[in-house]
Amino acid sequence: AAVTSRMIFQAGGSTQGRVGFGTSAGNMALTNLQGNLFIQADTNNAQANSYITFSVDNSTKMRITSTGNVGIGTTAPAKQLHITKSAKADIGVLTDGATITPNFDAKQNFIVTLGGNRTLANPTNADGGQTGSIFVVQDATGGRTLSFGANWKFAGGTAPTLSTGANAVDRIDYIVKSSTQIHAVVSLNLS
């Protein structure tokens, strides 16, 4: 027979600030005025129905299932990451210099304004599957060139010549195949 055992701590007579452990379903809940954390363990130890839920005002904001799927805005994530709204990746500013080296652990999208002829070096911390964009902006003088490290791969095996007009903007879109192969395409003169 199932054993029902519980341990509940709460402040005053209110359910706010309540911590509960070991309900009959093997659950643990932490709640307070602003939100709660709820951990559900499957009663038959199969873990098929186990999950962790983060809620605010009794509305689920994020759920992690026993299969490792994470849902943001959904209680039934269909993939390893399932979001119900848009995602945003900030644009990091690369330091202009003779050699420009993106750190793919720092950001996935970047912008750099060229103040001279430059080399876009092989990025650090490149892992297969990473994607992003790099905006390359000519300064007010223009005429700046950009060469590429050996790990940057372009269609036909030839790196493109970027726009050179004053204040011109080009965009490099990339996906990392491996730490030594970054496949890239360039959109020119996006003004």
Side-chain angles (χ1 to χ4, degrees), residues 81-169:
L81 178 61
H82 180 165
I83 61 176
T84 59
K85 294 182 180 178
S86 63
K88 178 180 186 270
D90 290 343
I91 298 173
V93 177
L94 293 172
T95 302
D96 179 49
T99 302
I100 301 164
T101 307
N103 177 356
F104 281 6
D105 274 353
K107 301 283 183 189
Q108 70 186 60
N109 298 318
F110 302 91
I111 189 169
V112 63
T113 300
L114 304 180
N117 295 336
R118 307 298 192 216
T119 297
L120 185 63
N122 299 326
T124 60
N125 303 305
D127 292 309
Q130 290 182 277
T131 63
S133 297
I134 302 173
F135 296 93
V136 179
V137 181
Q138 291 281 332
D139 65 7
T141 301
R144 314 304 189 179
T145 62
L146 185 67
S147 58
F148 295 87
N151 293 351
W152 293 97
K153 307 299 181 187
F154 296 92
T158 303
T161 300
L162 299 186
S163 304
T164 56
N167 303 309
V169 179

Coordinates of all heavy atoms in Angstrom, one line a residue, residues 81-169:
L81 N 14.8 21.8 -26.3 CA 14.4 23.2 -25.9 C 13.2 23.6 -26.7 O 13.2 23.5 -27.9 CB 15.6 24.1 -26.2 CG 15.3 25.6 -25.8 CD1 15.0 25.8 -24.3 CD2 16.5 26.5 -26.2
H82 N 12.2 24.0 -26.0 CA 10.9 24.4 -26.6 C 10.5 25.7 -25.9 O 10.2 25.8 -24.7 CB 9.8 23.3 -26.3 CG 8.5 23.5 -26.8 ND1 7.5 22.5 -26.9 CD2 7.9 24.6 -27.3 CE1 6.4 23.0 -27.5 NE2 6.6 24.3 -27.7
I83 N 10.4 26.7 -26.7 CA 10.0 28.0 -26.2 C 8.7 28.4 -27.0 O 8.5 28.1 -28.1 CB 11.1 29.1 -26.4 CG1 11.5 29.3 -27.9 CG2 12.3 28.7 -25.6 CD1 12.5 30.4 -28.1
T84 N 7.9 29.2 -26.3 CA 6.6 29.7 -26.9 C 6.7 31.1 -27.4 O 5.7 31.5 -28.0 CB 5.5 29.5 -25.9 OG1 5.8 30.3 -24.7 CG2 5.3 28.0 -25.5
K85 N 7.8 31.8 -27.1 CA 7.9 33.1 -27.7 C 9.3 33.2 -28.4 O 9.9 32.2 -28.6 CB 7.9 34.2 -26.5 CG 6.5 34.2 -25.8 CD 6.5 35.3 -24.7 CE 5.2 35.4 -24.0 NZ 5.2 36.4 -22.9
S86 N 9.6 34.4 -28.8 CA 10.9 34.5 -29.6 C 12.1 34.5 -28.6 O 12.0 34.6 -27.4 CB 10.9 35.9 -30.3 OG 10.8 36.9 -29.4
A87 N 13.3 34.2 -29.2 CA 14.5 34.2 -28.5 C 15.4 35.4 -29.0 O 15.2 35.9 -30.0 CB 15.3 32.9 -28.7
K88 N 16.3 35.8 -28.1 CA 17.1 37.0 -28.4 C 18.6 36.7 -28.0 O 18.8 36.1 -27.0 CB 16.6 38.2 -27.7 CG 17.5 39.4 -27.9 CD 16.9 40.6 -27.1 CE 17.6 41.9 -27.4 NZ 18.8 42.2 -26.5
A89 N 19.5 37.0 -29.0 CA 20.9 36.9 -28.7 C 21.5 38.2 -28.9 O 21.4 38.8 -30.0 CB 21.6 35.8 -29.6
D90 N 22.1 38.8 -27.8 CA 22.7 40.1 -27.9 C 23.8 40.2 -28.9 O 24.5 39.2 -29.3 CB 23.2 40.6 -26.6 CG 22.1 40.8 -25.6 OD1 20.9 41.0 -26.0 OD2 22.4 40.9 -24.4
I91 N 24.1 41.4 -29.5 CA 25.2 41.6 -30.4 C 26.4 42.2 -29.6 O 26.3 43.2 -29.0 CB 24.7 42.6 -31.5 CG1 23.5 42.0 -32.3 CG2 25.9 42.9 -32.5 CD1 22.9 42.9 -33.3
G92 N 27.4 41.4 -29.7 CA 28.7 41.9 -29.0 C 29.5 42.7 -29.9 O 29.6 42.5 -31.1
V93 N 30.2 43.7 -29.3 CA 31.1 44.6 -30.1 C 32.5 44.0 -30.1 O 33.1 43.8 -29.0 CB 31.1 46.0 -29.5 CG1 32.1 46.9 -30.3 CG2 29.7 46.6 -29.5
L94 N 33.0 43.7 -31.3 CA 34.4 43.2 -31.4 C 35.3 44.4 -31.4 O 35.0 45.4 -32.0 CB 34.5 42.4 -32.7 CG 33.8 41.1 -32.8 CD1 33.9 40.5 -34.2 CD2 34.3 40.1 -31.8
T95 N 36.5 44.2 -30.8 CA 37.5 45.3 -30.8 C 38.2 45.3 -32.1 O 38.7 44.3 -32.6 CB 38.5 45.0 -29.7 OG1 37.8 44.9 -28.4 CG2 39.6 46.1 -29.6
D96 N 38.2 46.5 -32.7 CA 38.9 46.7 -34.0 C 40.4 46.7 -33.8 O 40.9 47.2 -32.8 CB 38.5 48.0 -34.6 CG 39.2 48.3 -35.9 OD1 39.2 47.4 -36.8 OD2 39.7 49.4 -36.1
G97 N 41.1 46.1 -34.7 CA 42.6 46.0 -34.6 C 43.1 45.3 -35.8 O 42.3 44.8 -36.6
A98 N 44.4 45.2 -35.9 CA 44.9 44.5 -37.1 C 44.4 43.1 -37.2 O 44.1 42.6 -38.3 CB 46.5 44.4 -37.0
T99 N 44.2 42.4 -36.1 CA 43.6 41.0 -36.1 C 42.4 41.1 -35.1 O 42.5 41.6 -34.0 CB 44.6 40.0 -35.6 OG1 45.8 40.0 -36.4 CG2 44.0 38.6 -35.5
I100 N 41.3 40.7 -35.6 CA 40.0 40.7 -34.9 C 39.7 39.2 -34.6 O 39.5 38.4 -35.5 CB 38.9 41.3 -35.7 CG1 39.3 42.8 -36.0 CG2 37.6 41.3 -34.9 CD1 38.5 43.4 -37.1
T101 N 39.6 38.9 -33.3 CA 39.3 37.5 -32.9 C 38.0 37.3 -32.1 O 38.0 37.7 -31.0 CB 40.5 36.9 -32.1 OG1 41.7 37.1 -32.8 CG2 40.3 35.4 -31.8
P102 N 37.0 36.8 -32.8 CA 35.7 36.6 -32.0 C 35.9 35.5 -31.0 O 36.6 34.5 -31.3 CB 34.7 36.2 -33.1 CG 35.3 36.5 -34.4 CD 36.8 36.5 -34.2
N103 N 35.3 35.6 -29.9 CA 35.2 34.5 -28.9 C 33.8 34.0 -28.9 O 32.8 34.6 -28.4 CB 35.5 35.1 -27.5 CG 35.4 34.0 -26.4 OD1 35.0 32.9 -26.6 ND2 35.8 34.4 -25.2
F104 N 33.6 32.8 -29.4 CA 32.3 32.2 -29.6 C 31.6 31.8 -28.3 O 30.5 31.4 -28.2 CB 32.3 31.1 -30.6 CG 32.3 31.6 -32.1 CD1 32.4 32.9 -32.4 CD2 32.2 30.7 -33.1 CE1 32.4 33.3 -33.7 CE2 32.2 31.1 -34.4 CZ 32.3 32.4 -34.7
D105 N 32.4 31.8 -27.2 CA 31.8 31.6 -25.9 C 31.2 32.9 -25.3 O 30.3 32.8 -24.5 CB 32.8 31.1 -24.8 CG 33.0 29.6 -24.9 OD1 32.2 28.9 -25.6 OD2 33.9 29.1 -24.2
A106 N 31.6 34.0 -25.8 CA 31.1 35.3 -25.3 C 29.8 35.7 -25.9 O 28.9 36.2 -25.2 CB 32.2 36.4 -25.6
K107 N 29.6 35.5 -27.2 CA 28.4 35.9 -27.9 C 28.2 35.0 -29.1 O 29.2 34.2 -29.5 CB 28.4 37.4 -28.4 CG 28.6 38.4 -27.3 CD 27.3 38.7 -26.6 CE 27.6 39.8 -25.6 NZ 26.5 40.0 -24.7
Q108 N 27.1 35.1 -29.8 CA 27.0 34.4 -31.1 C 26.8 35.4 -32.2 O 27.1 35.1 -33.4 CB 25.8 33.4 -31.1 CG 24.4 34.0 -31.1 CD 23.4 33.0 -30.9 OE1 23.3 32.3 -29.9 NE2 22.5 32.9 -31.9
N109 N 26.4 36.6 -31.9 CA 26.3 37.7 -32.9 C 27.3 38.8 -32.5 O 27.4 39.1 -31.3 CB 24.9 38.3 -32.9 CG 23.9 37.2 -33.4 OD1 24.1 36.4 -34.3 ND2 22.7 37.2 -32.7
F110 N 27.9 39.4 -33.5 CA 28.9 40.5 -33.3 C 28.8 41.6 -34.3 O 28.1 41.5 -35.3 CB 30.3 39.9 -33.4 CG 30.6 38.7 -32.5 CD1 30.3 37.4 -33.0 CD2 31.1 38.9 -31.3 CE1 30.6 36.3 -32.1 CE2 31.4 37.8 -30.4 CZ 31.1 36.5 -30.9
I111 N 29.4 42.7 -33.9 CA 29.6 43.9 -34.9 C 31.0 44.4 -34.7 O 31.5 44.4 -33.6 CB 28.5 44.9 -34.6 CG1 28.5 46.0 -35.7 CG2 28.6 45.6 -33.3 CD1 27.3 46.9 -35.7
V112 N 31.6 44.8 -35.8 CA 32.9 45.5 -35.7 C 32.9 46.6 -36.8 O 32.4 46.4 -37.9 CB 34.0 44.5 -35.9 CG1 34.0 43.8 -37.3 CG2 35.4 45.1 -35.7
T113 N 33.5 47.7 -36.5 CA 33.7 48.8 -37.4 C 35.2 48.8 -37.7 O 36.1 48.9 -36.9 CB 33.3 50.1 -36.8 OG1 31.9 50.1 -36.5 CG2 33.6 51.3 -37.8
L114 N 35.5 48.6 -39.0 CA 36.9 48.5 -39.5 C 37.5 49.9 -39.6 O 37.0 50.8 -40.2 CB 37.0 47.9 -40.9 CG 36.3 46.5 -41.0 CD1 36.5 45.9 -42.4 CD2 36.9 45.5 -40.0
G115 N 38.7 50.1 -38.9 CA 39.4 51.4 -39.0 C 40.6 51.3 -39.8 O 41.5 52.2 -39.9
G116 N 40.8 50.1 -40.5 CA 42.0 49.9 -41.3 C 41.8 48.5 -42.0 O 40.8 47.9 -41.8
N117 N 42.8 48.1 -42.7 CA 42.8 46.7 -43.3 C 43.0 45.7 -42.2 O 44.0 45.8 -41.4 CB 43.9 46.6 -44.4 CG 43.6 47.6 -45.6 OD1 42.5 48.0 -45.8 ND2 44.6 47.9 -46.3
R118 N 42.1 44.7 -42.2 CA 42.0 43.8 -41.0 C 42.0 42.4 -41.4 O 41.7 42.1 -42.6 CB 40.8 44.1 -40.1 CG 40.7 45.6 -39.7 CD 41.8 46.1 -38.9 NE 41.5 47.3 -38.2 CZ 42.5 48.3 -38.1 NH1 43.7 48.1 -38.5 NH2 42.2 49.4 -37.4
T119 N 42.2 41.5 -40.4 CA 42.1 40.1 -40.6 C 41.1 39.6 -39.6 O 41.2 39.9 -38.4 CB 43.4 39.3 -40.4 OG1 44.3 39.7 -41.4 CG2 43.2 37.8 -40.5
L120 N 40.0 38.9 -40.0 CA 39.1 38.2 -39.1 C 39.7 36.8 -38.8 O 39.7 35.9 -39.6 CB 37.7 38.1 -39.7 CG 36.6 37.5 -38.8 CD1 36.4 38.4 -37.6 CD2 35.3 37.3 -39.5
A121 N 40.3 36.7 -37.6 CA 41.0 35.5 -37.2 C 40.1 34.4 -37.0 O 38.8 34.6 -36.9 CB 41.9 35.8 -36.0
N122 N 40.6 33.2 -36.9 CA 39.8 32.0 -36.5 C 39.3 32.3 -35.1 O 40.0 32.8 -34.2 CB 40.7 30.8 -36.4 CG 41.2 30.4 -37.8 OD1 40.6 30.7 -38.8 ND2 42.4 29.9 -37.8
P123 N 38.0 32.1 -34.9 CA 37.4 32.4 -33.5 C 37.9 31.4 -32.5 O 38.3 30.3 -32.8 CB 35.9 32.2 -33.8 CG 35.8 31.3 -34.9 CD 37.0 31.6 -35.8
T124 N 37.9 31.9 -31.3 CA 38.2 31.0 -30.1 C 36.9 30.3 -29.7 O 35.8 30.9 -29.9 CB 38.8 31.7 -29.0 OG1 37.9 32.8 -28.5 CG2 40.2 32.3 -29.4
N125 N 37.0 29.2 -29.1 CA 35.8 28.4 -28.5 C 34.7 28.1 -29.5 O 33.6 28.2 -29.2 CB 35.3 29.2 -27.3 CG 36.3 29.5 -26.2 OD1 37.0 28.6 -25.8 ND2 36.6 30.8 -25.9
A126 N 35.1 27.7 -30.7 CA 34.1 27.4 -31.7 C 33.8 25.9 -31.5 O 34.6 25.0 -31.5 CB 34.7 27.6 -33.1
D127 N 32.5 25.6 -31.4 CA 32.0 24.3 -31.3 C 31.0 24.0 -32.4 O 30.1 24.8 -32.7 CB 31.3 24.1 -29.9 CG 32.2 24.2 -28.7 OD1 33.3 23.5 -28.8 OD2 32.0 25.0 -27.8
G128 N 31.0 22.8 -32.9 CA 30.1 22.4 -34.0 C 28.7 22.6 -33.6 O 28.2 22.4 -32.5
G129 N 27.9 23.2 -34.5 CA 26.5 23.5 -34.3 C 26.2 25.0 -33.9 O 25.1 25.4 -34.0
Q130 N 27.2 25.7 -33.6 CA 27.0 27.1 -33.2 C 26.7 27.9 -34.5 O 27.2 27.6 -35.6 CB 28.2 27.7 -32.6 CG 28.5 27.3 -31.2 CD 29.7 28.0 -30.6 OE1 30.8 27.6 -30.8 NE2 29.5 29.0 -29.8
T131 N 25.8 28.9 -34.4 CA 25.4 29.7 -35.5 C 25.4 31.2 -35.0 O 25.3 31.5 -33.9 CB 24.0 29.4 -36.1 OG1 23.0 29.6 -35.1 CG2 24.0 27.9 -36.5
G132 N 25.5 32.1 -36.0 CA 25.4 33.5 -35.7 C 25.7 34.4 -36.8 O 25.8 33.9 -38.0
S133 N 25.9 35.7 -36.6 CA 26.2 36.6 -37.6 C 27.2 37.6 -37.1 O 27.3 37.9 -35.9 CB 24.9 37.4 -38.0 OG 23.9 36.5 -38.5
I134 N 28.0 38.2 -38.0 CA 28.9 39.2 -37.7 C 28.6 40.4 -38.7 O 28.7 40.2 -39.9 CB 30.4 38.7 -37.9 CG1 30.6 37.5 -37.0 CG2 31.3 39.9 -37.6 CD1 32.0 36.9 -37.2
F135 N 28.3 41.5 -38.2 CA 28.1 42.8 -39.0 C 29.5 43.4 -39.1 O 30.1 43.7 -38.1 CB 27.1 43.7 -38.3 CG 25.7 43.1 -38.2 CD1 25.4 42.5 -37.0 CD2 24.8 43.3 -39.2 CE1 24.1 42.0 -36.9 CE2 23.6 42.7 -39.1 CZ 23.2 42.1 -37.9
V136 N 29.9 43.7 -40.4 CA 31.2 44.3 -40.6 C 30.8 45.7 -41.2 O 30.2 45.8 -42.3 CB 32.0 43.5 -41.6 CG1 33.3 44.2 -41.9 CG2 32.3 42.1 -41.0
V137 N 31.3 46.7 -40.5 CA 30.9 48.1 -40.9 C 32.2 48.8 -41.3 O 33.2 48.8 -40.6 CB 30.3 48.9 -39.7 CG1 29.9 50.3 -40.1 CG2 29.1 48.1 -39.2
Q138 N 32.2 49.5 -42.5 CA 33.3 50.4 -42.9 C 33.2 51.7 -42.0 O 32.1 52.2 -41.8 CB 33.2 50.7 -44.3 CG 33.5 49.5 -45.3 CD 34.9 49.2 -45.4 OE1 35.8 50.1 -45.3 NE2 35.2 48.0 -45.7
D139 N 34.3 52.2 -41.7 CA 34.3 53.5 -41.0 C 34.0 54.6 -42.0 O 33.7 54.3 -43.2 CB 35.6 53.8 -40.3 CG 36.8 53.9 -41.2 OD1 36.6 54.0 -42.4 OD2 37.9 54.0 -40.7
A140 N 34.0 55.9 -41.5 CA 33.6 57.0 -42.4 C 34.5 57.2 -43.6 O 34.2 57.8 -44.6 CB 33.5 58.3 -41.6
T141 N 35.7 56.7 -43.5 CA 36.7 56.8 -44.6 C 36.4 55.7 -45.6 O 36.5 56.0 -46.8 CB 38.1 56.6 -44.0 OG1 38.4 57.6 -43.1 CG2 39.2 56.7 -45.1
G142 N 36.1 54.5 -45.2 CA 35.9 53.4 -46.1 C 37.2 52.9 -46.8 O 38.3 53.3 -46.4
G143 N 37.0 52.0 -47.7 CA 38.2 51.4 -48.4 C 38.9 50.4 -47.6 O 40.0 49.9 -48.0
R144 N 38.3 49.9 -46.5 CA 39.0 48.9 -45.6 C 38.8 47.5 -46.2 O 37.7 47.2 -46.6 CB 38.5 49.0 -44.2 CG 38.4 50.4 -43.6 CD 39.7 51.2 -43.7 NE 39.5 52.5 -42.9 CZ 40.5 53.3 -42.7 NH1 41.7 53.1 -43.3 NH2 40.3 54.4 -42.0
T145 N 39.8 46.7 -46.1 CA 39.7 45.3 -46.5 C 39.6 44.4 -45.3 O 40.1 44.7 -44.2 CB 40.8 44.9 -47.4 OG1 42.1 45.0 -46.7 CG2 40.9 45.8 -48.7
L146 N 39.1 43.2 -45.5 CA 39.0 42.2 -44.5 C 39.4 40.8 -45.1 O 38.8 40.4 -46.0 CB 37.6 42.1 -43.9 CG 37.4 41.2 -42.7 CD1 38.2 41.7 -41.5 CD2 36.0 41.0 -42.3
S147 N 40.5 40.3 -44.5 CA 40.8 38.9 -44.9 C 40.4 38.0 -43.8 O 40.0 38.4 -42.7 CB 42.4 38.8 -45.2 OG 43.1 39.2 -44.0
F148 N 40.5 36.7 -44.0 CA 39.9 35.7 -43.1 C 40.9 34.6 -42.7 O 41.8 34.2 -43.5 CB 38.7 35.0 -43.8 CG 37.6 36.0 -44.0 CD1 37.5 36.7 -45.2 CD2 36.6 36.2 -43.1 CE1 36.5 37.6 -45.5 CE2 35.5 37.0 -43.4 CZ 35.5 37.8 -44.6
G149 N 40.8 34.2 -41.4 CA 41.6 33.1 -41.0 C 41.3 31.8 -41.8 O 40.2 31.7 -42.4
A150 N 42.2 30.8 -41.7 CA 42.0 29.6 -42.5 C 40.8 28.8 -42.2 O 40.3 28.0 -43.0 CB 43.3 28.7 -42.3
N151 N 40.2 29.0 -41.0 CA 39.0 28.2 -40.6 C 37.7 28.7 -41.2 O 36.7 28.0 -41.1 CB 38.9 28.1 -39.1 CG 40.0 27.3 -38.4 OD1 40.8 26.7 -39.1 ND2 40.1 27.4 -37.1
W152 N 37.7 29.9 -41.7 CA 36.5 30.4 -42.4 C 36.4 29.8 -43.8 O 37.4 29.9 -44.6 CB 36.6 31.9 -42.5 CG 36.6 32.6 -41.1 CD1 37.6 33.0 -40.4 CD2 35.4 32.9 -40.4 NE1 37.1 33.6 -39.2 CE2 35.8 33.5 -39.2 CE3 34.0 32.7 -40.6 CZ2 34.9 33.9 -38.2 CZ3 33.1 33.1 -39.7 CH2 33.5 33.7 -38.5
K153 N 35.3 29.2 -44.1 CA 35.1 28.5 -45.4 C 34.0 29.1 -46.1 O 32.9 29.3 -45.5 CB 34.8 27.0 -45.1 CG 35.8 26.2 -44.2 CD 37.2 26.2 -44.8 CE 38.2 25.5 -43.9 NZ 39.5 25.6 -44.4
F154 N 34.2 29.4 -47.4 CA 33.2 30.1 -48.2 C 32.9 29.2 -49.5 O 33.8 28.4 -49.9 CB 33.7 31.5 -48.6 CG 33.8 32.4 -47.5 CD1 35.1 32.6 -46.8 CD2 32.8 33.2 -47.0 CE1 35.2 33.4 -45.8 CE2 32.9 34.0 -45.9 CZ 34.1 34.1 -45.3
A155 N 31.8 29.4 -50.1 CA 31.4 28.7 -51.3 C 32.5 28.9 -52.4 O 33.0 30.0 -52.6 CB 30.0 29.2 -51.8
G156 N 32.8 27.8 -53.0 CA 33.8 27.9 -54.1 C 35.3 28.0 -53.5 O 36.2 28.1 -54.3
G157 N 35.4 28.0 -52.2 CA 36.7 28.0 -51.6 C 37.4 29.4 -51.6 O 38.6 29.5 -51.3
T158 N 36.7 30.4 -52.0 CA 37.3 31.8 -52.1 C 36.5 32.8 -51.2 O 35.3 32.9 -51.3 CB 37.2 32.3 -53.5 OG1 37.9 31.4 -54.4 CG2 37.8 33.7 -53.7
A159 N 37.2 33.4 -50.3 CA 36.6 34.4 -49.5 C 36.1 35.6 -50.3 O 36.8 36.0 -51.3 CB 37.6 34.9 -48.4
P160 N 35.0 36.2 -50.0 CA 34.4 37.3 -50.8 C 35.2 38.6 -50.5 O 35.9 38.7 -49.5 CB 33.0 37.4 -50.3 CG 33.1 36.9 -48.9 CD 34.1 35.8 -48.9
T161 N 35.1 39.5 -51.4 CA 35.6 40.9 -51.2 C 34.4 41.7 -50.7 O 33.3 41.8 -51.3 CB 36.0 41.5 -52.6 OG1 37.1 40.7 -53.1 CG2 36.5 42.9 -52.3
L162 N 34.6 42.3 -49.5 CA 33.5 43.0 -48.8 C 33.4 44.4 -49.4 O 34.3 44.9 -50.1 CB 33.8 43.1 -47.3 CG 33.9 41.8 -46.6 CD1 34.1 42.0 -45.1 CD2 32.7 40.9 -46.8
S163 N 32.2 45.0 -49.1 CA 31.9 46.4 -49.6 C 33.0 47.3 -49.0 O 33.4 47.2 -47.8 CB 30.5 46.8 -49.2 OG 29.6 45.8 -49.6
T164 N 33.3 48.3 -49.8 CA 34.4 49.2 -49.3 C 33.9 50.7 -49.2 O 34.7 51.6 -48.8 CB 35.6 49.2 -50.2 OG1 35.2 49.5 -51.5 CG2 36.3 47.8 -50.1
G165 N 32.7 51.0 -49.5 CA 32.2 52.3 -49.4 C 32.1 52.8 -48.0 O 32.0 52.0 -47.0
A166 N 32.3 54.1 -47.8 CA 32.2 54.7 -46.5 C 30.9 54.3 -45.8 O 29.8 54.4 -46.4 CB 32.3 56.2 -46.5
N167 N 31.0 53.8 -44.5 CA 29.9 53.4 -43.7 C 29.1 52.2 -44.2 O 28.0 51.9 -43.8 CB 29.0 54.6 -43.4 CG 29.7 55.7 -42.8 OD1 30.3 55.6 -41.8 ND2 29.6 56.9 -43.4
A168 N 29.6 51.5 -45.2 CA 29.0 50.3 -45.8 C 28.9 49.2 -44.7 O 29.7 49.1 -43.9 CB 29.7 49.8 -47.0
V169 N 27.8 48.4 -44.8 CA 27.6 47.4 -43.8 C 27.4 46.0 -44.6 O 26.6 45.9 -45.5 CB 26.3 47.6 -43.0 CG1 26.1 46.5 -42.0 CG2 26.4 48.9 -42.2

